[in-house]
Structure formats: C-alpha cells, structure tokens
Amino acid sequence: MTQPTRYFFCGIGGSGMLPLALILLDQGHTIEGSDRSLDQGRTPAKFDYLRSKGIRLFPQDGSGVTSPDQIVVASAAVEDTVPDIAAALRVGAKRMNRADMLSALFNAAPFAIGVAGTSGKSTVTGMIAWILHHAGKNPTVMNGAVMKNFRTPEALFSSSLVGTSGIFVSEVDESDGSIAAYNPRVAVLMNIALDHKTMDELRALFTGFATRAGAVVLNLDNPETARMARSMPEAITYSLDRDAAQLIAWAITPAETSISFSVHDQKTGESAIVRLATPGKHNVSNALAAIAAAMTCGVTLAQAAAALGEFAGIARRFDIVGTANGVTVIDDFGHNPDKIAATLRTVNQFPGRVLVMFQPHGFGPLKKMRREFAECFAENLGTEDILLMPEPAYFGGTVDRSVGSQDLAADIRALGRNAEALPDRSACGARLLELAKPGDRILIMGARDDTLTTFAQDLLASLKARA
C-alpha cells in the first residue's frame, strides 16, 4: 500500500467528493473535511455517517487546515477566497482538484472502466458494479449516487466500493472538462446531449475520451454516439431497435415499477431475458450498456442478465418513496431536459395525473437551457398535469440570477402547459398537498440538493396524515 496521506476534503458531503473520500479512507489514508451543508445543519445523517467512519469534520472556516502535510481536495470551482483554501495557501498545504485526484486513481488501475454520457452515468455505473460483484470480480467503484444493492446500516451512503481485482469502475464527468484527464481501458458512452457545455465542446471531449480507450461501448439510439460508432467499427454497440447493433433488446414489456426484455448478442448468438425492478425504456438502454461493459471483463450474457434481475436501483433515480391515500411520491434526479423527458415518458405510459415539483439545479443551467427546459416540459406533460417550481438551488457565491423559475414557468404556459413558480419549496409542498388526489403521481425532481429526498419523505408523511 502507498504511504498513508492526510487528506482534507473541502465540500466532503458532495456527490462526487464523498465516495472519493471513502475510497481513500478504505485505502488507509487519514480523511478530514468540511462542508457548507454541515454548517447549515442540512442532511445531518450524512455527516453523522462520515463521523462514524472515523472522519473528522470541521466548520468550513479554515480551522481544519493547519499543516503543510495536508492535501486539500476541492472542486476546481472552489475559489481561493473560501476559508479552507485560504488556510491552505497560508500554511503551505498542497491543493488538489477532485477530478485530478480521481483521475490519478483511475489511470493507475490495471483495468479502468469509465462511464460517460449526458444521462444515465450513475445508473450504468451501479449496474456494472452489481454485475461484476455478482460475478465475483471484486471491483473498486466510484459512483455519484448511492447504490442500493450495497447499502447496509454500516454503509448508508454506498456510493463507492473498494475491491482487490484491479478493476476500477467510475463515472466520468464532462461538465467541468475533467473527462479529458481520464485514460480508460474501456470507455462506455451512452449519449451526448446539451447540458453544461456547447455541443461542439461536448463532441470534442467525448470523442477524445473514446479514442483513448482500448475498447469502446456506444449507443446506436443516440444520434451523436451513433455518429461516433461509424468511425469506430470495433466498438461494442447496443440498441433498442437498430439491427446493426451487437446487443439488441426486444420483447420489451413495461410495467409501472419494472420492465422486462430479451437481449440478443448478434456476435455470439446468445440470448437472455432480463427483468429489471427499475422501470422505463431508458433503463433497458442503461442495462445494455452495463452488459456490454461487463462482457469486457469476461462476464457472460447469462451472468449479467441474472445479476440485473437482482439490481435494486440507484437512490434518487425514479426512487419510489411510497404511496399514501392513492398518491404515489417519486424522488428523481432529473435535472436536464434528457433526464426529465425520460422520467416523464416512464410515468406517462400509465394512467393518472402527474404533479411535478422541479427545482432547477442552478441559475446558470436554467439560463443556458431555458428554451430546452420549456420545450421538454411542454412535450412531456399532459394537459391535466401540473408543474410547480421554486427558485433554483443556490448555495451562495457570485452567479447571474437574471433568469429564474418565474421566467421558465411563463415559457411553459405560453406553450400550453400548466406551470406555476412559487416563492420557495415550502409553498410548493403546500400546493402539492392541496392539489393531490387519488391516482396522482408526484414527482420531486432536481439535482445538487440532498434535501430534496427529505422533502419527498416529508410530503409522503403529510399525505399519510390526511385521513
């Protein structure tokens, strides 16, 4: 093992920071950290869990950074004026970007599988993790979300695994451009769509990622990745309806909370039936990507299909919180137009009105994708469905706040759908309780805010109390 190092994570509760901290902790390093959410009293269970693992937590006031022997890990967006970073500069502690830390671990692994794409990364990473674990491959995994199969009372926030096989599976993020630092043995690329960057920037980043890999998995159902496949004839391809793909799904049978289908491998002639406990055709596509990735590790199609039958899903990915008085509450990470559309298409296959509370994940993304958001909701909400929005998630800092939820709601109403912008989440909750009636599905959607899950749970409790 490498010499133990003392790491201090600035923002340790973040979805990309927490699993990385836990991987380094399991490797024998000393981990400390701070988080704005800790200072604000948000998600206390998460920080109690970190303390239970032996991680020492500090206020985000610089008091935890006191030695030049510490390495301070933070996202590239954290400014030098943040007290922890200012303290690091003062005492001479080295600063390391989260992406650089992760990519260094990833690139050092004997067999690194990078999971990339605008949508579906956490789900596909979780599926690959479970298939490999089920097949006895003992992988190390870095995910941006909790993998339910691995959640136990001792591992409540199971977004990472530490294995001994040399296989390292990780989500790879394009939003900050850090995907350029990863050199995968296997590149899994599900889709490319507008999100954090322009399409030209995204094409360059994803193409570079794929061309650096020894093996590439590509989705023929997405126009951008299908275009890439034409110049990569050795790629393992998959599709729900294109005969040119190696892995093809057919006989797809959707249900409200599950979906089943058959998979045929045109290269080997093998077939298998998969029964997923997570609904939606997009999860059929995710499963094909995971099967293809697992096959590069020597897992058979039959083994992968059997494992997926036991896949419990990912927290906040069409996560059914419960049903009360005939109203079902679903917690979902949908935050860009592609993810939102996939979730709405899933619920729209079955009868019942849809009530959506969507909290935009930032003022910047809302301004950049305002038109795409409006068109997405207009196309995927029914005439009786209702969308409610508080203002975007905002945790401080300098950001252009000129476009807010009122603007988006007006755009959606102009396109003929019901949308209301309310002052805050509390007002949205009260309005949902006022509107909800038996047969409705309530979707709580948004990213970058763990308290959305608490909001969904509290909403269900209020519905139960309505006798």
Side-chain angles (χ1 to χ4, degrees):
M1 194 182 83
T2 57
Q3 186 70 22
T5 301
R6 187 179 171 194
Y7 291 100
F8 185 95
F9 279 73
C10 178
I12 195 168
S15 61
M17 298 285 268
L18 186 149
L20 180 56
L22 292 177
I23 287 174
L24 290 170
L25 180 73
D26 284 340
Q27 291 181 348
H29 301 289
T30 298
I31 306 299
E32 300 162 307
S34 68
D35 199 282
R36 263 189 312 211
S37 291
L38 173 66
D39 297 347
Q40 296 165 358
R42 297 154 61 90
T43 60
K46 176 187 292 186
F47 299 109
D48 288 344
Y49 170 72
L50 291 175
R51 290 188 187 98
S52 76
K53 300 286 286 183
I55 295 173
R56 191 177 178 193
L57 300 177
F58 295 84
Q60 201 168 83
D61 59 4
S63 60
V65 182
T66 58
S67 169
D69 295 331
Q70 290 173 285
I71 295 177
V72 177
V73 183
S75 73
V78 174
E79 299 167 348
D80 288 350
T81 54
V82 171
D84 289 338
I85 305 303
L89 293 169
R90 187 169 60 251
V91 303
K94 178 182 176 182
R95 175 179 175 176
M96 194 167 190
N97 289 339
R98 183 205 69 86
D100 292 340
M101 182 79 253
L102 176 57
S103 62
L105 292 173
F106 181 90
N107 293 339
F111 198 96
I113 301 174
V115 181
T118 308
S119 301
K121 292 188 289 292
S122 295
T123 299
V124 172
T125 299
M127 286 177 166
I128 296 170
W130 181 242
I131 293 170
L132 295 179
H133 174 82
H134 194 272
K137 297 294 184 179
N138 201 14
T140 294
V141 182
M142 165 76 187
N143 203 336
V146 170
M147 299 176 284
K148 291 184 178 181
N149 284 94
F150 302 103
R151 188 162 57 186
T152 67
E154 295 75 36
L156 293 173
F157 297 89
S158 50
S159 50
S160 64
L161 294 176
V162 176
T164 57
S165 66
I167 300 172
F168 193 121
V169 185
S170 180
E171 279 195 44
V172 176
D173 191 8
E174 81 287 350
S175 65
D176 59 0
S178 62
I179 188 173
Y182 293 81
N183 300 314
R185 172 65 183 82
V186 180
V188 182
L189 184 46
M190 293 88 69
N191 44 66
I192 304 172
L194 186 67
D195 195 347
H196 298 276
K197 295 184 178 293
T198 67
M199 286 304 298
D200 285 343
E201 289 174 310
L202 291 171
R203 290 181 187 116
L205 286 168
F206 285 126
T207 300
F209 173 70
T211 55
R212 291 193 300 277
V216 182
V217 175
L218 292 172
N219 178 12
L220 292 192
D221 297 332
N222 176 263
E224 294 291 336
T225 48
R227 186 178 297 115
M228 288 175 62
R230 289 197 286 272
S231 61
M232 297 181 177
E234 299 303 313
I236 304 170
T237 56
Y238 64 92
S239 173
L240 302 191
D241 54 21
R242 297 193 180 222
D243 292 340
Q246 178 179 333
L247 293 179
I248 299 173
W250 53 284
I252 299 172
T253 307
E256 286 195 67
T257 60
S258 64
I259 195 162
S260 62
F261 57 98
S262 293
V263 185
H264 180 67
D265 185 337
Q266 298 211 103
K267 187 174 182 180
T268 66
E270 296 175 282
S271 293
I273 295 173
V274 177
R275 296 179 177 87
L276 283 178
T278 49
K281 280 192 174 182
H282 61 290
N283 278 318
V284 176
S285 185
N286 288 337
L288 294 179
I291 291 168
M295 286 166 56
T296 68
C297 300
V299 178
T300 67
L301 176 56
Q303 287 176 313
L308 286 170
E310 299 175 18
F311 179 64
I314 302 293
R316 298 215 66 233
R317 273 59 175 184
F318 206 93
D319 203 348
I320 298 173
V321 181
T323 300
N325 291 311
V327 180
T328 298
V329 179
I330 301 165
D331 186 23
D332 192 76
F333 189 69
H335 63 280
N336 66 34
D338 269 17
K339 290 182 174 74
I340 292 166
T343 297
L344 289 173
R345 282 195 295 267
T346 299
V347 295
N348 285 339
Q349 291 181 75
F350 301 95
R353 188 174 61 158
V354 181
L355 305 177
V356 181
M357 194 212 75
F358 170 57
Q359 178 178 281
H361 62 297
F363 283 92
L366 174 56
K367 184 175 182 180
K368 175 180 280 189
M369 294 183 283
R370 176 178 172 178
R371 178 176 62 83
E372 289 81 7
F373 275 129
E375 291 173 351
C376 166
F377 281 114
E379 290 169 10
N380 292 286
L381 289 173
T383 55
E384 301 299 314
D385 298 339
I386 300 173
L387 170 66
L388 307 177
M389 287 183 292
E391 282 299 285
Y394 175 69
F395 305 110
T398 57
V399 64
D400 178 2
R401 300 169 70 180
S402 60
V403 175
S405 294
Q406 291 278 359
D407 303 292
L408 179 56
D411 293 346
I412 294 166
R413 288 195 299 271
L415 293 171
R417 292 296 181 261
N418 302 312
E420 303 174 16
L422 299 173
D424 52 34
R425 247 183 14 207
S426 177
C428 290
R431 180 72 171 133
L432 285 168
L433 291 171
E434 177 188 333
L435 291 167
K437 59 186 181 183
D440 287 346
R441 283 78 52 80
I442 295 178
L443 284 174
I444 306 302
M445 306 184 86
R448 293 183 62 208
D449 188 347
D450 290 344
T451 64
L452 286 166
T453 296
T454 306
F455 178 85
Q457 293 166 343
D458 291 346
L459 190 66
L460 180 67
S462 297
L463 288 166
K464 287 179 178 177
R466 279 195 337 194

